[in-house]
């Protein structure tokens, strides 16, 4: 499976939709697992279908005119960034002014309102990640690869050209920085 993905990436040329379609086909199961985990982490599993996220990601990938992906790790990091963007768009749309601007739903049973997806948490994480990007682009890239990309420490180490120990150490820094940034909100 990995070699098929690597071969498909090697055949990619900007604007060539057949090559992107082939890459998407051979990596579909891995992308589906990634989409499922991103929805689960964002607490949106009940309101957003995994396949919908996956297919929307495909449409955004196909529409890229200059898609340069040197290897498997970069492809999955890019795909996770696209999925993150789609999830954030969905959360923002759900909280749009025309739908009450994030106001709590008024129901006969107040516990029902507490069971709705916590879109604010996703937005807070996105804001904290943007702040981290300004402070340390390397740490923000690591978070995207690990959290949103679902990449292992070994895969991240390979993409970044560092040791796994360095990845673990940087991951601890990134987590601590995000915690501080989230507390500031």
């Amino acid at each position: 499976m990995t070699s098929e993905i690597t071969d498909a990436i090697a055949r990619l040329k900007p604007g060539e939709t057949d090559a992107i379609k082939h890459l998407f086909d051979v990596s579909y199961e891995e992308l589906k697992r990634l989409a499922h985990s991103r929805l689960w982490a964002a607490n949106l599993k009940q309101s957003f279908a995994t396949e919908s996220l996956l297919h929307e990601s495909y449409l955004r990938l196909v529409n890229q005119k200059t898609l340069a992906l040197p290897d498997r790790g970069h492809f999955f990091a890019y795909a996770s960034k696209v999925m993150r963007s789609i999830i954030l768009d969905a959360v923002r749309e759900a909280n749009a002014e025309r739908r009450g601007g994030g106001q709590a739903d008024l129901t006969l049973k107040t516990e029902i309102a507490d069971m709705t997806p916590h879109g604010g948490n996703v937005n807070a994480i996105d804001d904290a990640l943007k702040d981290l990007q300004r402070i340390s682009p390397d740490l923000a890239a690591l978070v995207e690869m690990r959290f949103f990309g679902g990449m292992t420490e070994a895969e991240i180490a390979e993409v970044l050209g560092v040791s796994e120990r360095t990845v673990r150490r940087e991951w601890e820094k990134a987590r601590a920085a995000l915690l501080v940034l989230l507390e500031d909100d």
Side-chain angles (χ1 to χ4, degrees):
M1 178 65 83
T2 301
S3 65
E4 284 183 278
I5 294 171
T6 304
D7 292 343
I9 289 170
R11 285 189 245 140
L12 275 180
K13 291 185 178 48
E16 192 176 308
T17 57
D18 288 341
I20 293 173
K21 183 184 182 315
H22 177 69
L23 173 59
F24 199 81
D25 288 343
V26 298
S27 60
Y28 186 83
E29 287 305 316
E30 233 175 300
L31 288 171
K32 186 175 180 180
R33 180 187 56 76
L34 176 63
H36 180 77
S37 68
R38 292 308 97 217
L39 288 172
W40 193 263
N43 198 21
L44 293 170
K45 186 66 186 122
Q46 288 75 24
S47 60
F48 207 93
T50 301
E51 288 77 14
S52 296
L53 176 59
L54 198 53
H55 296 158
E56 181 67 27
S57 299
Y58 170 75
L59 292 174
R60 290 194 186 183
L61 282 169
V62 167
N63 289 328
Q64 291 297 315
K65 301 295 182 214
T66 56
L67 188 62
L69 302 167
D71 56 33
R72 181 183 180 281
H74 284 90
F75 169 66
F76 284 103
Y78 182 75
S80 66
K81 190 177 267 193
V82 169
M83 288 180 195
R84 172 181 166 227
S85 172
I86 293 167
I87 289 170
L88 287 168
D89 290 347
V91 168
R92 287 183 182 126
E93 184 178 325
N95 290 335
E97 282 301 319
R98 69 177 189 266
R99 294 197 175 118
Q103 296 293 321
D105 294 335
L106 295 176
T107 62
L108 293 176
K109 295 184 177 183
T110 57
E111 59 268 5
I112 293 175
D114 295 336
M115 293 169 49
T116 59
H118 303 292
N121 293 343
V122 175
N123 283 328
I125 291 170
D126 183 53
D127 291 342
L129 193 53
K130 286 177 184 174
D131 291 342
L132 183 61
Q133 175 71 31
R134 285 189 287 278
I135 297 166
S136 175
D138 293 340
L139 290 180
L142 176 67
V143 171
E144 285 185 340
M145 285 187 269
R146 175 113 187 231
F147 184 75
F148 291 101
M151 295 171 69
T152 65
E153 290 174 353
E155 291 169 332
I156 295 169
E158 184 180 326
V159 168
L160 298 178
V162 298
S163 70
E164 288 182 50
R165 184 173 179 193
T166 299
V167 171
R168 280 191 292 277
R169 190 172 45 248
E170 293 298 301
W171 175 246
E172 291 303 318
K173 284 184 202 174
R175 286 179 51 199
L178 282 175
L179 183 62
V180 169
L181 292 168
L182 285 168
E183 287 175 353
D184 286 347
D185 286 345

